[in-house]
Amino acid sequence: MPDSTRRNERSRRAILDAALELAGVLGYQKLTIEAVAARAGVGKQTIYRWWPSKGAVLFDALLARTQDTEDGLPDTGDLAADLKTVLRATVTEFADPAFAGPIRALTVELAQDPELAEQYQQRLDRPMRELKKARLRAAQDAGELRADADLDVLADLLFTPVAQRWLLRTGPLTPEYADAVVDHALHGQLTDNR
Amino acid sequence: MPDSTRRNERSRRAILDAALELAGVLGYQKLTIEAVAARAGVGKQTIYRWWPSKGAVLFDALLARTQDTEDGLPDTGDLAADLKTVLRATVTEFADPAFAGPIRALTVELAQDPELAEQYQQRLDRPMRELKKARLRAAQDAGELRADADLDVLADLLFTPVAQRWLLRTGPLTPEYADAVVDHALHGQLTDNR
Amino acid sequence: MPDSTRRNERSRRAILDAALELAGVLGYQKLTIEAVAARAGVGKQTIYRWWPSKGAVLFDALLARTQDTEDGLPDTGDLAADLKTVLRATVTEFADPAFAGPIRALTVELAQDPELAEQYQQRLDRPMRELKKARLRAAQDAGELRADADLDVLADLLFTPVAQRWLLRTGPLTPEYADAVVDHALHGQLTDNR
Amino acid sequence: MPDSTRRNERSRRAILDAALELAGVLGYQKLTIEAVAARAGVGKQTIYRWWPSKGAVLFDALLARTQDTEDGLPDTGDLAADLKTVLRATVTEFADPAFAGPIRALTVELAQDPELAEQYQQRLDRPMRELKKARLRAAQDAGELRADADLDVLADLLFTPVAQRWLLRTGPLTPEYADAVVDHALHGQLTDNR
DNA sequence: GCCTAACCGAGACGGTACGTCTCGTCTTTAC
DNA sequence: GTAAAGACGAGACGTACCGTCTCGGTTAGGC
């Protein structure tokens, strides 16, 4: 059983960096442990010693990258505008293969590895979801949003369409689409809503 | 170049059946062409002759299975109720590994293979989307839904949250969740919506 | 179970040749299946499919090489001279690393793998021993050699000293040593032997 | 560079004992430095600090074991009987895996490591050879053995057949074989010897 | 109703990557 | 201050599949 106090930090960083870089360039299929080890200048065993799977490495790599950006959503007082800002930024990020590649690779892993998905939910999805809900709750408190809205459901309505369209390429991913999602999610579509 | 008139229909069926069955049992990772060929009692070359990739086999297998169920969405005159019926059915189907396994496997493939994703969009996603939009347009014509609603966006709002939650296991997939998604998507959440 | 009728003869030869060559250059320790496969331009599985171990490959390689040289020992009517000729030839062969390297490697394997040793005994040692005994028996029939000599023991006396000295480098391996072995083995050393 | 005055005698003994024991149980292939260190309760570095190779450890271990038994060959005045006594004892010892295992392991090493073989020759083979030659010289002095016999060659004739048969398992290793070797080596086989 | 070309099951082939094991070196921890 | 413990870079192990390539043996039209 490995003793984490003896862990070589230099190797750990090299592995995570190599994993991110290769995931961006090669995609998930062609991302191999061998290639990560070679690129990182590390023995394969050093990867297997500390991570149970290729997905876990990717997960840690992405976790390390996003550690810093836990800023919370913007709050200008205009919920729709703030959400559009965030979603448009997401659309822009997803257009960059170096950024989106590793995320796509990890997503593929999550879909196949329930245990990793559980980790993901706890350490990445839940915190990000809380940030989103915090912004929505602020809008609720400001009377901008209905008091009876289920913020979890609303967050899904706002963020899953863009994620899904990106993941499965079911349509063009444009800023206009992001705006439309926000508008439709917030304004409702039944005629008796007015 | 293979001559499709000489194609052995028995082998084709055996391959598609084996692919579906193994995808349900093993998941995508362990679904191999070798295993499909062995299970189907078929030479590997017979698979490679007719399909370009593992994903393409799965795609055809699922296509064959869903060919029959192109019925259109129910229309009782109550849009919300009809949508809940459909989404609740989806939730139920996704709970059955034999059904959901192959779809999960295919989804994983789609996320990695843009060419296959294009095929998917044209031959499965678009037709299904048209059925959804047809039902929504009927509601629009009936004055139940706003005339200025973008039906594509609305369809995404209604169907991607459930699909995403199922794919990435980001939360419990229950009938209540399905209902809540429909309610929130249709009724809007801004307070000045009333 | 592999079907030997489908075996690729070109690959088989390439593997045996590569094994012999590498065994001569690298010695047994550094002789790896990976290197043999690479040198032979062959997949590793092609080796594992047909041979159970590294030693078995070497064995077949040496077997193929010595297949042709089953000529029998020379018989000029002078036993001692003939034996000296043979042993001096052995000494010369053992001095060539390209020849002796693979034999050394195989010998190391034989010492550790009783099953391979059994194969060796049946397919290489025994036939060679019979050739030796045939020559000795001819000498016996000619009245040159005692009728009560145990030819197996005598063969060991004649051939193991050179083999052992070569294998363990316990002394210089010279033609003179070969001659001395033959003389001492044949003439006896007790004074009442005259 | 290790300072031998600081050497931990307890560790040294534990390593040698562990090496002997494991060589007897596992054979040479599976005898690893890791296993020796673990069995001896010692860090690997402690082995690498003091010995250059696995073979050197084994060598020292066997050296320590045989240090005591430097008694010389028996001398009852009957050379053949004394030699048979010794060779029969050797046959008996070789039948005990706990005894023969380590020797086989070392022999395998010697065949592959000329430097170790040189050490072996000087520190084990030569002394033992001198003991044998001393007994033979005594027989020579007693007029029992020819004055012109080359004692080195004769010693090889007497001792290598048994060693070779044991090492390569080319035949059954029995007391009778030992006797026959002695008889044939001493009495000569040419008919004009009488 | 035969001929012959394609498809078929089978599986060997050259490869790549897997996850494990051991090597010999280097580093940390605890006594 | 010395060693145990063990992490490290390296690389071979034997296995699993990849996608391609022969093999004979059926099939199923075209003549």
Side-chain angles (χ1 to χ4, degrees), chain B residues 71-88:
Chain B
D71 312 319
L73 272 60
D75 189 346
T76 64
D78 181 344
L79 178 63
D82 290 349
L83 290 171
K84 288 175 183 176
T85 300
V86 170
L87 271 185
R88 279 169 168 260

Side-chain angles (χ1 to χ4, degrees), chain B residues 38-61:
Chain B
R39 160 76 66 148
V42 139
K44 284 199 292 176
Q45 196 54 47
T46 302
I47 299 183
Y48 285 111
R49 187 162 18 235
W50 301 106
W51 290 276
S53 70
K54 176 168 71 172
V57 178
L58 251 182
F59 180 69
D60 272 12

